[in-house]
C-alpha cells in the first residue's frame, strides 16, 4: 500500500532510484561473503561446495571471512544446539548490515532428525530471520549453490526505498536480536516471538 | 638444502596450475547450474509416492498402512487413513491416505521408509533444488506434491524401477491368477453345482455338499 | 534435582608464577571457538596465554551435543542406524559397521562373506578419505590457504562418488544392516573402485612431495605436541594417535573383527609421538589401506549380502548387554548396548574416539605457542559430531 | 624573521615543551619522550646552523646529528628497558610511586 | 585371559573386604561383568590395572546406566490362617526394587592385548546418594567420560580432578539422560506429530473458536 | 616510434602541463602524476585481486570467480568484473566500531595506513623518466616510510581492544621490524656496487648489456642472494604467506583488522596490496633492472610495460607461494629473520665488498659464489639441525 | 618532473593519500546516512570473541620478548643510517674504510651473537 | 619557502604540545610520531635530506615502535592516570616557560646569527659517506661500541627476570 504522495515522489526520482537500486542490489548479490561458520555435518558439504568440484568461487562467494565484521552471509550449516544458540545469535548480531542467513540442512531449519533431543534448537529461525532454507540431510553442495542463487535473486528483488524495503534500509527496525540466556532446562526465552511466526497446523 | 622441498612443493602446485588448463582430472569443477554431474546409481534425496497410470489420486500405490510413519527415524511422516476404500492396482478395495505429509525440513533422507514399505509405493527422489525462502509453505510436502508417476520413477532410477515393476507385476499376476482361479473355480463350482443340482433334481432328492473353493495362501 | 548436584563452575585461572614468585607477563584469557576457523566445528578451547605461550587450556564441549544417545534409546535398533552416520560425519561407513557389528554380536547374527568384504572395502575407503581430508585440514590449520584441502577433497569426491553410487548418499550412507549390507555392489562398481584405488597411490605420492618433507611442515610439526607412550595408554588414546606414540595396537589386528585376519597388511608405528608422527602414521596407514583394498577387491566372493535370519522390522534382540568396537579412522569406535528385549535399546552408548583422544589435549599444548595448539588440535583429528554426540 | 630564527624558535619551543613534559609528567615513558623532544630540539639547531652557518661543506652538523640520533636511540632503548624493569618490580611506571616505594 | 570367576577369586583373596559379584549376560555375546561395591571400587580397579597377569592398563569405555525404581511382581505362597484353618494361599507381592545408577567401565590390556573386563559400580540410590569413587586417577582416559556421566546421569565421582558439567551448560539443572527426564516443551510447530509429540503439540494449538451462531 | 610509445605518458604530461600557467606548474605537475598513480595502482589492485582469486582457483583445480562482469549485461568478462560488486558492497556495508574501542585511533588507522604506503610510491621509477621525485637518498626514504606502516598496524590492533587484534598487531610489528633489517641490508649490497641511493642511478647501473643480456644485479652472486633475501623479506613485510601471521586466520581470526568492517576493512586490504606493489617495485628496481629489458633485442618494448610486467610476474610468484605454503610459527619466523637472513645479509655485504675489490673475471664469480653458497647451506643447515628437524624412517609393527 | 621544492610532492602525496582514504569513507558515510542507517547495538558493538561475551581486557601487559626484538631492530636501524652513506661512497673509499665499516658491523654483530648465545633470540 | 617552513614548524610545535598534554599514553606516542615527522620535514626544508629521512627511519620507524612496546609492556596505555602531573608541575611549567622566553628572546634579538646565504648548501649522501669514513671513523666506531653496549645493557635490564624464570619454571 503505497500512498499517493510517495508514489509520485518515486516517479520523480524514477530513473535515478532504479539505477541506484539495481546497482546496489547487483553489488550485494554478487559479492556474498560467507562467514566461516560450520556447525556440524552440513559444514562439510559447505566446504565441499567451496572445493574444486563445485567451486562456490565462481559466484564470487568463496571469500570465507573468519570475522563476522567482514562477512555478509551466515550459513548456519548444521545442528544448532541450545548451548550454541546464544552464540549463533550473538555472532549474527555482530555482523554488519546487510546480512543474510541461510539455514542449511534439516537441523538448521527445524532441528531435523535431532529435534527430539533435549539440547537441540528446533530451527535457527526461532531466533534469527532466515532468508533461505535448504532442506536435506545434508544437502548436496549443488543445493547450497542453488540456495545462494536463490538468495541472489532475493537480493536483486529488494527495494531501496518504500515501506517494503528490507530491514537494513529501515532505521526503525532493529538489526539486533536478543540473545537468549541459558536457563535451568531451556533457553530463555525459548523463542523470539518477533521473528518466529509458525503457521498452525492442527492434527 | 633449505628450501629444496619447498620448491618441490611449489612444483606440485605449478603442475596443478598448468594442468588445470589441459587435464580434466586437474580441473574437476562442474559448473553447476549449467553443467550437472551425471546422476549416480542409487542417489537419493527425499521420498516421493509412486502412482500408476495418469491419475495421481486413483493410481496411488500407498495404502496408508503407516509402517513408514512408524519406522521413520525422525518421525517426519504424517498419515491420515481414509474412511472409505478405493480399488488398488490389483483391483482390491484398499484404504488410501487422506493426508500424507512429509516434512522435508526434518527428513534425513535415510531411505528406511522405502525399505520397510511392503507396497513399493514410497521411493526416493533425486530432486535437490528445493531451497526456498518460505520454510513453512514449501517444505511440508503434501500428498499432491509427493505423488509422482511411475514413469518418473523409471526415469530417475531405471534399475530399481524395473525391479519394483517386476515385483508389482508378479503380485498383480498372482492376484490375477488368484482372481482368475477364484473366478474359474466359481464358474466351475457354479457349473458343477448347477449340473449337480440339475442331476440331483433329476436323479436324487439330496444335494451333495458343495466343493471347497480352491484356496491360495 | 538435589542440592548435591549443583555443578561447580569454571575453575579459576591461577597465573603460573615464576621461580622467584614473580608474575610473568599478564595472562591473556582467550576463547578459541566455538566460532573459530580452526576448531573443526564448534569446539572451544579456553586458552590462557602468556604472551603467545599456552599456560592453560581447557576444552569446552557440548556445543554440538545433539543427544544422540538419548534419541538412540527412544527409537528402534534399525532406525538408529542413520543416526550413527551423523556421529563422525566423515566416516559414516565405519560408524555403520561398528553399530552393526555390535548389534550382530548382541543378536548373534552371521554376516555373509561377501558382505564382510564389502564392509571392509567401504571401511578402508572411508579411512582413505578421512585421513586425506584430515591432512588437508590440519595443513590448513598450519596456515596453508587450502590448497592441500582442495586436493584432498578432490580425491574425496571420487570416493564419495563410489559411496553415492552404492548407497545413494554422499556422506550419510546408512548402508549397513544387521547381518549384512543393504545393497549389493555390482562388477562395474568394483571396477571403478579398483581404478580409484590404483590412482590413489599416485595421488599420495604427489601429496607426499607436496607436504611430507616441506621444511615449514617439518618445522611446524616435528617435536611439537609430543605425547609420551605411557600417557597415551593411560589416557585411553586410540587410533593413529596411539600408534604415533609408539604403541602397536590396531583393533584390526587385535580383535580381528570382520575378515581382517585374511588381509596382509602392517601397522605403522611412530617413535616420537609428535604431530609429524601422527601425520606420517596416517599417510602410511593410507598406503596399508590401499593394500587391503587391493586384496579385498581381488578376492571378493559372490554370494548373498544379508543374513537370511536378519529381520528388518520388529527386531527385538534378547536381553543382555554388549560392547562392540572397530578401528574407525579416528580410533576405537565402540558401541555399548544394553537390551531389555524391547524394540529399543535400553541403554545405548557411543564410545567416541575423538572425544577421548582430547583428554590429553592440554598436556600436549602446554608450553607451546598458540599456533601450535591449533595444529595439535588438528592432528588429534576430531569431528564434533562424535565428540559431543 | 629569518628562516634560521624560525628554526631556532621551534627548537627552543620543542626544548621547552620537552623540558616541561620531563619535569611535570608523572609517567616514566612520558619523561623519556620529553627527553627525546629535547634532543630533537638540539638536533634541529645543529641542522639549522649547518644550513645557515659558515662552512656547510664540512658537514659537521649533519654528521653530528647522525651521531646524536644513534645516541638517542641507545638512550631510548636503555631508558625504556629501565622503565620496563621497574614496572616489573614495582608494578607501576609512575615516577612518584616509584619514589615512594623506594623509601 | 582368566575367566571372571578366577579374577574374582584372586580379587577376593587379595582384597578380602571387597564385595564382588559376577553378573550374568544372556545375550549372544555373553559379556559378563564384575559388580564391585562402591567402597572398594577404587582398590579393585587398581588391582586390575596393576596385576601382572591382567595388566588392564587401558580403560576404553566409561558409561552410566540409569535403573529407575522398578516394580517387580512375584508370586509367593504364603501360609495363612483362614477361618482357623491353615492354608497355603498364593499371593502376588509387589516389590519395588529401588533404583540406582550404575557406572560401567570396559577395561582392556594393551600390552597383553586381551579384554574386555567389564567393571560395574552402583550408587546407593538415584537421589542423594549418588557417590562413587572416580577412577580417573588410575586411568586418565576416564576423565571426560566420568564428567559426562556426572553431567548426564548425576553420579558424583569423588576424587575426580575437575568434576564439572561437560556437555550441558553450567546453569542447567537436572540430568537429561536419566530415563525420567522430561524434555523442555518446544512443540509449537509440529507438522508431523506422533504419540507423545502429538500430545505435547496439541497443548500449543490455538483454542477452538467458539461456535458462532449463524443466523 | 618506440621511444614515443615509451615516453607516451611523459609527453602527455608535458602536453597537459603546457595548458597550465607557469606559476602553477610546480603544483600541477605532481598533482597530475599523483592522480595518475591513484588511478593506476588501485585499478591494478582490483585486477590483481581477481587475478589472485582466479590463479589460486586454478592452482586448486577450479575456476575461481568467472561469472560477474559488466553490471546489467550478460557479459561476464571471465569474472574480471568481480571487484566491482565487492567494492560496492563494502562501500554500502554498515560500519561497526566496537563500543570499547578507542574510536579516534580506530578511525585513523586505515587512513594512516595509506599515507606511508602511497608516500613510498614517490621514489619508484615506473618507467623511463617516470619517477615522481628522484631524491638523492630515495632508497632511504623508501625504507623510512615503509617502517611507518607498523604504526598504522599497531593503531588498528590496539584501538580495536580485541584480543585477536592485539595479538595480530603485536605479531605484525615484531615481524615487520625483524624483516626490515634484512630488507635494508640486502639493499645495501646493491648500493655499495652502484654507489648511489638514487633509484634512477641504480637502474641506470643495470641498463647496459653484455652479449645482449642485461646487467641486472640478480645475475651476480651477491645480487642473486640479495634478491632472494629481499624477496623473502618483502613477503614478510607485506604479510603474505608463509609470513601471514598477523592475520593468521586459523589462529587469531583476522588479526589486527578483526574488528574492521565495511570500507575501512577494504582500505586495509588496499593498503596491504599497495604496500606489496611498492615493495615489489623496489625489489624490481634494485635487482631486476627496474624498467629495463632483460635482453637488448627486447629493449624496444616500452619501459613501463616492463615494469608492470615484472611487477605482475613477481606478484604471481607471491600468489603461487600463498597457494602452496603453510605458515611459519612466530618463533620460527623470528629465528629465520635473525638467525638466517640477518647473518646472510651481512655476509652478502662482505661478498659485495669482495666482488668490488676483485678483478672482473671468473675467479670473482667463483669466490663470491662459493662464499654465498657456503653461507647459505651452513646457515640453512644450522637452522634445521638446531631443531633436529628432518626426514624420518618409520617401522611397522607385526 | 622536478618542482621548485622537491618535497612538495611528498606533501601532496600525503594529502592525496588522506583524501583517497577519506573519500570512500565519506561516500560510505553518506550512503549510510541516506539509505542504510547504522544501527549500533549492545551485541553488535561488543568486542568479538568467537561468539562469546568477551572476558577480561585485551589491553594487557605483554611479555618482554617483543621489546627485545624492538631493541635489536632499533640498533640495526640506527646502524643503517651509517651503513648507507658508507655504501654510497664505498666505491671511492680505500680498503681501510671498508675494514673500518666491517669492524663497525662486527661490533653490532657481536651484540647480536651475544644475544643469540644467551638464548635471548629464542622466541618463547 | 619561509611560509612552508613556518607551517611545518607550527605543525611540529602543535604536535609536540599535544604529546605533552594528552592523557592517554598511546595517543601521546602517536602524536610524538607526528612531531618527529614534523621535525623531519623541517630538516628537509633545511636541505638536509639524508638527515630528514634518517629522522623518519629512526624516530618514527624505530623509537616510536619501541615506545609503543614499552607502553604495552607496562600496561600504561589502557587508562589515563588519575593525575597526570607531578606535584611540582607548576614549577616545571614555570621553569620551562622561562627557558623558552629566554631562548626566544635571545634568538629574536641576537645579532650573532648568520644571515641567510644565497646558495643553499647540499649534503649529498656521498659526501656524508666520505666524511663519515674519513674524518669521523673513530666516532663511528665509538658509536658502534655504544650501540652494542646499549643493546646488551637494555636486553639485560629488560629481560633478566624472564631468563631466570625460564630456567626453573618450564611447565
Amino acid at each position: 500500500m503505497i500512498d499517493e504522495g510517495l508514489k509520485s515522489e518515486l516517479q520523480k526520482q524514477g530513473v535515478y532510484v532504479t539505477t541506484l537500486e539495481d546497482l546496489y542490489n547487483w553489488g550485494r548479490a554478487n559479492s556474498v561473503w560467507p562467514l566461516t561458520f560450520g556447525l556440524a555435518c552440513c559444514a562439510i558439504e559447505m566446504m565441499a561446495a567451496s572445493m574444486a568440484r563445485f567451486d562456490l568461487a565462481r559466484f564470487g562467494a568463496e571469500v570465507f571471512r573468519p570475522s563476522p565484521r567482514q562477512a555478509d552471509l551466515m550459513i548456519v550449516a548444521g545442528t544448532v544446539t541450545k548451548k550454541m544458540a546464544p552464540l549463533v545469535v550473538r555472532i549474527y548480531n555482530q555482523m554488519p548490515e546487510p546480512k543474510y542467513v541461510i539455514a542449511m540442512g534439516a537441523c538448521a531449519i527445524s532441528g531435523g532428525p535431532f529435534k527430539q533431543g533435549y539440547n537441540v534448537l528446533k530451527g535457527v529461525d526461532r531466533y534469527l530471520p532466515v532468508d533461505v532454507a535448504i532442506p536435506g540431510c545434508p544437502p548436496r553442495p549443488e543445493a547450497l549453490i542453488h540456495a545462494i542463487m536463490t538468495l541472489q535473486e532475493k537480493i536483486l528483488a529488494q527495494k531501496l526505498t518504500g515501506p517494503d524495503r528490507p530491514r537494513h534500509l529501515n532505521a526503525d527496525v532493529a538489526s539486533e536480536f536478543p540473545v537468549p540466556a541459558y536457563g535451568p532446562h531451556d533457553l530463555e526465552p525459548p523463542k523470539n516471538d518477533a521473528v518466529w511466526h509458525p503457521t498452525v497446523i492442527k492434527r | 638444502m633449505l628450501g629444496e622441498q619447498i620448491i618441490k612443493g611449489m612444483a606440485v602446485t605449478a603442475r596443478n596450475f598448468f594442468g588445470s588448463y589441459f587435464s580434466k582430472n586437474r580441473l574437476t569443477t562442474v559448473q553447476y547450474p549449467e553443467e550437472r554431474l551425471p546422476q549416480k546409481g542409487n542417489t537419493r534425496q527425499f521420498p516421493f509416492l509412486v502412482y500408476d497410470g495418469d491419475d495421481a489420486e486413483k493410481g496411488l500405490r500407498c495404502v496408508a498402512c503407516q509402517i513408514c510413519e512408524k519406522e521413520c527415524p525422525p518421525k517426519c511422516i504424517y498419515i491420515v487413513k481414509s474412511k472409505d476404500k478405493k480399488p488398488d492396482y490389483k483391483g482390491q478395495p484398499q484404504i488410501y491416505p487422506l493426508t500424507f505429509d512429509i516434512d522435508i525440513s526434518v527428513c534425513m533422507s535415510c531411505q528406511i521408509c522405502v525399505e520397510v514399505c511392503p507396497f513399493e509405493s514410497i521411493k526416493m527422489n533425486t530432486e535437490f533444488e528445493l531451497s526456498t525462502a518460505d520454510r513453512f509453505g514449501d517444505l511440508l510436502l503434501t500428498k499432491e506434491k509427493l505423488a509422482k508417476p511411475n514413469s518418473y520413477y523409471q526415469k530417475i532410477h531405471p534399475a530399481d524401477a524395473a525391479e519394483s515393476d517386476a515385483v508389482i507385476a508378479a503380485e498383480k499376476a498372482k492376484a490375477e491368477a488368484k482372481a482368475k482361479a477364484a473366478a474359474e473355480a466359481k464358474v466351475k463350482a457354479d457349473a458343477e453345482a448347477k449340473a449337480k443340482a440339475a442331476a440331483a433334481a433329476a436323479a436324487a432328492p439330496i444335494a451333495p455338499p458343495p466343493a471347497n473353493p480352491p484356496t491360495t495362501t | 534435582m538435589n542440592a548435591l548436584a549443583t555443578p561447580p563452575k569454571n575453575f579459576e585461572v591461577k597465573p603460573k608464577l615464576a621461580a622467584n614468585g614473580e608474575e610473568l607477563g599478564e595472562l591473556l584469557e582467550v576463547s578459541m571457538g566455538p566460532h573459530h576457523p580452526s576448531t573443526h566445528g564448534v569446539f572451544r578451547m579456553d586458552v590462557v596465554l602468556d604472551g603467545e605461550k599456552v599456560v592453560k587450556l581447557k576444552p569446552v564441549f557440548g556445543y554440538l551435543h545433539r543427544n544422540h544417545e538419548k534419541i538412540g534409546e527412544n527409537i528402534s535398533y534399525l532406525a538408529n542406524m542413520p543416526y550413527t552416520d551423523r556421529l563422525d560425519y566423515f566416516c559414516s561407513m565405519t560408524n555403520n559397521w561398528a553399530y552393526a557389528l555390535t548389534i550382530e554380536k548382541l543378536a548373534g547374527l552371521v554376516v555373509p562373506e561377501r558382505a564382510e568384504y564389502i564392509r571392509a572395502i567401504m571401511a578402508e575407503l572411508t579411512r582413505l578419505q578421512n585421513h586425506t581430508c584430515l591432512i588437508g585440514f590440519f595443513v590448513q590449520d598450519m596456515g596453508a590457504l587450502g590448497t592441500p584441502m582442495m586436493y584432498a577433497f578432490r580425491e574425496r569426491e571420487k570416493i564419495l562418488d563410489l559411496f553415492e553410487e552404492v548407497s545413494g548418499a554422499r556422506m550419510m550412507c546408512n548402508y549397513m544392516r544387521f547381518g549384512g549390507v543393504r545393497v549389493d555392489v555390482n562388477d562395474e562398481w568394483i571396477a571403478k573402485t579398483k581404478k580409484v584405488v590404483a590412482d590413489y597411490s599416485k595421488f599420495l605420492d604427489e601429496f607426499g612431495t607436496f607436504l611430507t618433507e616441506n621444511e615449514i611442515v617439518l618445522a611446524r610439526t616435528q617435536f611439537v605436541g609430543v605425547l609420551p607412550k605411557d600417557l597415551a595408554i593411560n589416557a585411553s588414546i586410540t587410533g593413529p594417535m596411539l600408534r604415533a606414540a609408539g604403541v602397536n595396537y590396531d583393533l584390526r589386528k587385535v580383535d580381528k573383527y570382520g575378515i581382517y585376519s585374511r588381509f596382509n597388511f602392517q601397522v605403522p608405528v611412530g617413535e616420537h609421538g609428535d604431530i609429524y608422527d601422527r601425520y606420517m602414521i596416517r599417510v602410511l596407514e593410507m598406503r596399508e589401506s590401499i593394500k587391503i583394498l587391493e586384496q579385498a577387491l581381488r578376492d571378493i566372493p559372490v554370494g548373498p549380502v544379508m543374513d537370511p535370519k536378519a529381520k528388518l522390522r520388529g527386531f527385538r534382540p534378547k536381553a543382555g548387554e554388549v560392547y562392540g568396537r572397530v578401528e574407525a579412522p579416528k580410533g576405537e569406535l565402540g558401541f555399548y548396548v544394553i537390551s531389555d528385549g524391547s524394540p529399543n535399546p535400553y541403554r545405548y552408548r557411543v564410545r567416541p574416539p575423538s572425544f577421548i583422544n582430547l583428554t590429553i589435549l592440554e598436556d600436549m599444548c602446554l608450553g607451546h605457542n598458540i599456533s601450535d595448539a591449533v595444529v595439535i588440535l588438528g592432528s588429534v583429528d576430531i569431528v564434533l559430531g562424535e565428540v559431543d554426540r | 624573521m629569518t628562516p634560521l630564527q624560525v628554526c631556532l624558535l621551534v627548537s627552543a619551543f620543542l626544548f621547552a615543551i620537552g623540558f616541561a613534559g620531563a619535569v611535570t609528567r608523572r609517567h616514566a615513558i612520558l619523561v623519556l619522550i620529553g627527553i627525546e623532544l629535547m634532543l630533537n630540539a638540539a638536533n634541529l639547531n645543529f641542522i639549522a646552523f649547518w644550513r645557515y652557518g659558515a662552512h656547510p661543506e664540512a658537514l659537521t652538523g649533519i654528521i653530528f646529528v647522525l651521531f646524536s640520533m644513534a645516541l638517542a636511540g641507545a638512550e631510548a632503548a636503555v631508558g625504556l628497558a629501565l622503565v620496563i624493569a621497574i614496572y616489573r618490580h614495582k608494578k607501576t611506571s609512575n615516577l612518584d610511586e616509584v619514589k615512594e616505594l623506594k623509601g | 585371559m582368566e575367566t571372571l570367576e578366577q579374577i574374582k577369586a584372586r580379587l577376593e583373596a587379595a582384597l578380602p573386604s571387597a564385595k564382588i559379584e559376577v553378573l550374568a549376560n544372556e545375550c549372544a555375546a555373553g559379556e559378563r561383568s564384575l559388580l564391585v561395591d562402591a567402597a572398594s571400587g577404587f582398590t579393585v580397579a587398581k588391582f586390575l590395572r596393576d596385576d601382572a597377569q591382567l595388566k588392564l592398563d587401558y580403560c576404553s569405555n566409561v558409561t552410566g546406566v540409569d535403573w529407575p525404581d522398578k516394580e517387580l511382581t512375584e508370586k509367593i505362597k504364603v501360609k495363612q490362617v483362614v477361618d482357623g484353618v491353615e492354608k497355603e494361599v498364593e499371593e502376588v507381592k509387589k516389590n519395588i526394587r529401588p533404583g540406582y545408577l550404575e557406572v560401567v567401565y570396559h577395561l582392556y590390556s594393551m600390552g597383553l592385548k586381551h579384554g574386555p573386563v567389564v567393571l560395574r559400580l552402583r550408587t546407593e540410590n538415584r537421589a542423594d546418594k549418588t557417590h562413587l569413587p572416580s577412577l580417573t586417577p588410575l586411568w586418565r582416559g576416564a576423565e571426560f567420560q566420568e564428567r559426562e556421566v556426572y553431567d548426564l546421569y548425576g553420579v558424583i565421582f569423588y576424587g575426580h580432578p575437575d568434576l564439572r558439567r561437560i556437555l550441558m551448560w553450567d546453569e542447567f539443572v537436572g540430568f537429561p539422560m536419566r530415563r525420567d527426564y522430561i524434555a523442555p516443551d518446544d512443540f509449537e510447530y509440529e507438522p508431523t506429530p506422533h504419540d507423545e509429540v502429538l500430545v505435547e503439540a496439541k497443548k500449543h494449538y490455538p483454542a477452538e473458536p467458539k461456535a458462532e451462531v449463524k443466523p | 616510434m618506440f621511444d614515443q610509445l615509451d615516453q607516451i605518458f611523459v609527453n602527455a604530461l608535458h602536453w597537459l602541463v603546457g595548458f597550465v600557467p607557469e606559476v602553477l606548474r610546480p603544483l600541477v605537475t605532481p598533482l597530475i602524476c599523483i592522480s595518475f598513480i591513484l588511478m593506476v595502482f588501485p585499478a591494478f589492485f582490483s585486477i590483481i585481486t581477481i587475478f589472485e582469486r582466479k590463479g589460486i582457483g586454478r592452482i586448486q583445480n577450479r575456476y575461481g570467480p568467472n561469472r560477474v562482469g559488466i553490471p546489467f549485461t550478460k557479459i561476464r568478462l571471465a569474472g574480471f568484473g568481480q571487484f566491482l560488486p565487492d567494492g560496492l558492497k563494502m562501500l554500502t556495508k554498515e560500519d561497526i566500531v566496537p563500543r570499547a574501542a578507542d574510536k579516534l585511533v580506530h578511525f585513523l588507522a586505515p587512513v594512516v595506513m595509506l599515507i606511508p604506503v602511497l608516500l613510498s610510491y614517490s621514489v619508484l621509477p615506473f618507467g623511463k623518466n617516470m619517477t615522481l621525485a628522484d631524491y638523492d637518498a630515495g632508497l632511504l626514504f623508501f625504507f623510512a616510510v615503509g617502517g611507518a606502516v607498523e604504526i598504522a598496524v599497531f593503531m588498528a590492533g590496539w584501538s580495536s581492544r580485541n584480543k585477536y587484534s592485539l595479538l595480530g598487531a603485536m605479531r605484525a610489528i615484531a615481524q615487520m621490524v625483524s624483516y626490515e633489517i634484512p630488507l635494508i641490508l640486502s639493499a645495501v649490497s646493491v648500493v655499495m656496487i652502484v654507489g648511489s641511493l638514487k633509484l634512477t642511478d641504480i637502474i641506470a647501473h643495470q641498463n647496459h648489456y653484455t652479449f645482449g643480456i642485461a646487467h641486472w644485479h640478480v645475475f651476480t652472486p651477491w645480487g642473486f642472494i640479495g634478491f632472494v633475501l629481499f624477496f623473502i623479506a618483502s613477503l614478510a613485510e607485506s604479510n603474505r604467506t608463509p609470513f601471514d601471521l598477523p592475520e593468521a586466520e586459523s589462529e587469531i581470526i583476522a588479526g589486527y583488522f578483526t574488528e574492521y568492517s565495511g570500507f575501512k576493512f577494504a582500505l586495509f586490504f588496499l593498503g596491504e596490496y599497495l604496500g606489496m606493489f611498492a615493495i615489489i617495485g623496489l625489489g624490481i628496481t634494485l635487482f631486476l633492472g627496474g624498467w629495463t629489458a632483460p635482453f637488448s633485442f627486447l629493449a624496444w618494448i616500452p619501459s613501463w610495460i616492463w615494469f608492470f610486467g615484472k611487477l605482475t610476474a613477481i606478484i604471481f610468484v607471491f600468489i603461487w607461494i600463498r597457494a602452496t605454503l603453510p605458515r611459519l610459527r612466530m618463533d620460527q619466523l623470528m629465528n629465520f629473520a635473525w638467525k638466517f637472513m640477518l647473518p646472510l645479509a651481512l655476509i652478502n655485504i662482505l661478498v659485495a665488498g669482495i666482488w668490488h675489490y676483485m678483478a672482473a673475471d671468473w675467479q670473482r664469480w667463483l669466490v663470491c659464489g662459493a662464499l654465498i653458497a657456503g653461507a647459505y647451506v651452513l646457515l640453512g643447515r644450522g637452522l634445521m639441525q638446531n631443531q633436529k628437524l628432518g626426514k624420518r624412517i618409520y617401522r611397522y609393527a607385526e | 618532473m622536478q618542482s621548485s621544492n622537491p618535497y612538495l610532492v611528498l606533501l601532496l602525496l600525503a594529502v592525496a593519500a588522506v583524501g583517497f582514504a577519506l573519500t570512500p569513507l565519506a561516500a560510505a558515510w553518506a550512503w549510510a546516512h541516506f539509505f542504510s542507517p547504522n544501527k549500533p547495538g549492545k551485541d553488535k558493538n561488543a568486542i568479538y570473541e568467537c561468539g562469546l561475551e568477551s572476558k577480561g581486557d585485551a589491553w594487557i601487559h605483554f611479555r618482554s620478548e617483543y621489546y627485545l626484538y624492538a631493541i635489536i631492530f632499533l640498533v640495526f636501524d640506527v646502524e643503517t643510517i651509517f651503513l648507507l652513506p658508507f655504501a654510497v661512497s664505498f666505491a671511492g673509499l680505500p680498503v681501510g674504510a671498508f675494514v673500518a665499516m666491517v669492524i663497525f658491523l662486527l661490533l653490532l654483530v657481536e651484540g647480536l651473537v651475544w644475544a643469540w648465545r644467551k638464548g635471548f633470540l629464542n622466541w618463547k | 619557502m619561509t611560509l612552508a617552513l613556518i607551517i611545518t614548524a607550527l605543525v611540529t610545535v602543535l604536535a609536540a604540545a599535544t604529546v605533552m598534554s594528552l592523557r592517554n599514553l598511546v595517543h601521546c606516542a602517536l602524536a610524538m610520531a607526528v612531531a618527529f615527522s614534523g621535525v623531519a620535514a623541517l630538516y628537509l626544508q633545511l636541505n638536509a635530506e639524508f638527515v630528514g629521512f634518517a629522522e623518519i627511519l629512526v624516530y618514527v620507524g624505530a623509537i616510536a615502535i619501541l615506545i609503543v612496546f614499552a607502553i604495552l609492556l607496562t600496561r600504561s596505555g589502557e587508562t589515563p592516570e588519575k593525575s597526570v602531573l607531578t606535584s611540582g608541575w607548576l614549577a616545571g611549567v614555570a621553569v620551562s616557560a622561562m627557558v623558552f622566553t629566554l631562548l626566544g628572546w635571545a634568538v629574536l634579538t641576537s645579532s650573532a646569527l648568520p644571515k641567510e646565504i644565497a646558495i643553499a648548501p647540499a649534503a649529498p649522501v656521498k659526501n656524508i659517506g666520505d666524511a663519515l669514513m674519513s674524518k669521523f671513523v673513530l666516532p663511528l666506531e665509538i658509536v658502534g661500541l655504544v650501540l652494542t653496549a646499549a643493546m646488551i645493557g637494555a636486553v639485560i635490564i629488560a629481560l633478566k627476570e624472564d631468563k631466570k624464570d625460564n630456567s626453573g619454571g618450564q611447565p
Side-chain angles (χ1 to χ4, degrees), chain B residues 1-6 9 12 16 25-26 40 42-44 67 73-74 108 110-112 115-116, chain C residues 78-79 82-83 86 151 154 158 161 164-168 172-174 177 182 206 210 213-215 313:
Chain B
M1 205 174 71
L2 190 68
E4 203 181 326
Q5 296 294 332
I6 288 179
V12 171
N16 275 291
N25 195 28
R26 296 255 192 231
K40 307 280 164 351
N42 291 330
T43 188
R44 57 175 143 97
I67 291 177
M108 66 202 281
C110 64
Q111 210 179 354
I112 282 183
E115 281 170 68
V116 297
Chain C
L78 170 70
Y83 281 96
R86 285 151 181 83
Y151 296 163
R154 182 185 76 202
K158 292 178 187 163
D161 282 352
E164 190 181 354
E165 179 120 26
V166 175
S167 73
M172 307 310 182
C173 299
N174 182 22
R177 291 286 176 265
R182 187 159 53 90
E206 195 186 23
F210 187 18
E213 282 174 54
N214 185 312
E215 278 89 347
R313 279 191 289 137

Side-chain angles (χ1 to χ4, degrees), chain E residues 34-123:
Chain E
L34 282 178
L35 177 69
V36 183
D37 64 312
S40 54
F42 188 83
T43 41
V44 167
K46 195 165 164 37
F47 179 87
L48 292 176
R49 187 188 71 168
D50 297 337
D51 184 69
Q53 274 165 287
L54 290 169
K55 260 196 186 158
L56 297 165
D57 52 2
Y58 169 58
C59 171
S60 169
N61 181 32
V62 182
T63 184
V65 188
D66 180 25
W67 300 97
D69 300 353
K70 199 175 175 187
E71 224 173 53
L72 296 172
T73 51
E74 54 179 334
K75 287 174 183 169
I76 40 168
K77 286 177 179 169
V78 185
K79 281 180 183 170
Q80 248 179 356
V81 183
V82 181
D83 301 333
V85 188
E86 211 175 30
K87 258 186 174 175
E88 266 200 354
V89 178
E90 206 167 71
E91 210 175 66
V92 176
K93 196 181 170 197
K94 281 187 183 166
N95 285 1
I96 299 218
R97 188 197 66 188
Y100 52 85
L101 298 167
E102 202 173 54
V103 181
V104 186
Y105 295 83
H106 284 81
L107 308 175
Y108 287 86
S109 167
M110 258 184 201
L112 305 174
K113 295 206 166 61
H114 61 67
V117 171
V118 188
L119 188 69
R120 307 180 96 93
L121 302 175
R122 280 180 189 169
T123 62

Side-chain angles (χ1 to χ4, degrees), chain A residues 27-178:
Chain A
R28 282 190 300 146
N30 285 301
S31 168
V32 181
W33 292 3
L35 185 68
T36 322
F37 187 53
L39 289 168
C41 333
C42 292
I44 309 298
E45 288 296 60
M46 180 176 86
M47 283 176 211
S50 65
M51 295 292 158
R53 170 78 72 89
F54 303 101
D55 195 16
L56 206 51
R58 291 175 294 123
F59 301 86
E62 94 276 31
V63 193
F64 278 86
R65 293 303 309 171
S67 164
R69 308 291 192 194
Q70 295 135 22
D72 313 309
L73 167 66
M74 184 184 213
I75 303 179
V76 185
T79 321
V80 185
T81 60
K82 286 178 181 164
K83 192 167 179 178
M84 189 66 197
L87 290 97
V88 175
V89 178
R90 193 172 290 119
I91 292 168
Y92 176 80
N93 284 346
Q94 290 183 346
M95 283 164 62
E97 292 279 5
K99 50 190 172 185
Y100 325 103
V101 177
I102 287 184
M104 181 183 184
C107 298
I109 306 174
S110 70
F114 294 97
K115 70 174 186 173
Q116 309 155 40
Y118 49 85
N119 189 26
V120 176
L121 188 72
K122 289 184 174 178
V124 73
D125 54 353
R126 280 169 181 256
Y127 292 112
L128 295 180
V130 172
D131 289 291
V132 177
I134 324 169
C137 189
R140 298 179 63 83
E142 290 105 317
L144 178 59
I145 296 178
H146 181 257
I148 284 186
M149 283 157 56
T150 316
L151 180 68
Q152 286 181 334
E153 274 158 31
K154 186 171 172 174
I155 293 173
L156 286 175
Q158 281 178 346
K159 290 275 170 285
L160 186 58
T161 50
D164 52 351
R165 63 191 190 276
R167 182 188 67 229
H168 68 272
L169 297 173
N170 191 343
D172 304 331
V173 188
S175 71
E176 265 202 356
F177 297 93

Side-chain angles (χ1 to χ4, degrees), chain F residues 67-97:
Chain F
R67 271 168 198 267
V68 184
I70 302 169
F72 313 132
T73 57
K74 295 244 180 248
I75 304 164
R76 282 185 173 174
L77 291 179
F80 273 98
Q82 182 65 50
F83 67 89
L84 260 176
D86 285 347
L88 268 175
K89 180 203 71 183
M90 295 229 227
L91 208 57
T92 54
K93 207 79 178 140
E94 188 181 359
D95 179 33
I96 298 178
V97 182

Side-chain angles (χ1 to χ4, degrees), chain F residues 94 99 135 158 161-163 259 338-339, chain G residues 6 39 42 44-45 48 55 57 59 122:
Chain F
E94 188 181 359
R99 203 180 318 113
Y135 298 126
W158 176 80
R161 210 163 184 169
N162 179 308
K163 290 163 192 170
E259 291 285 1
W338 295 104
K339 298 184 180 171
Chain G
K39 287 184 273 192
K42 189 174 131 287
K44 188 182 273 183
N45 292 48
Y48 166 77
K55 266 185 293 178
D57 200 339
W59 290 348
N122 292 335

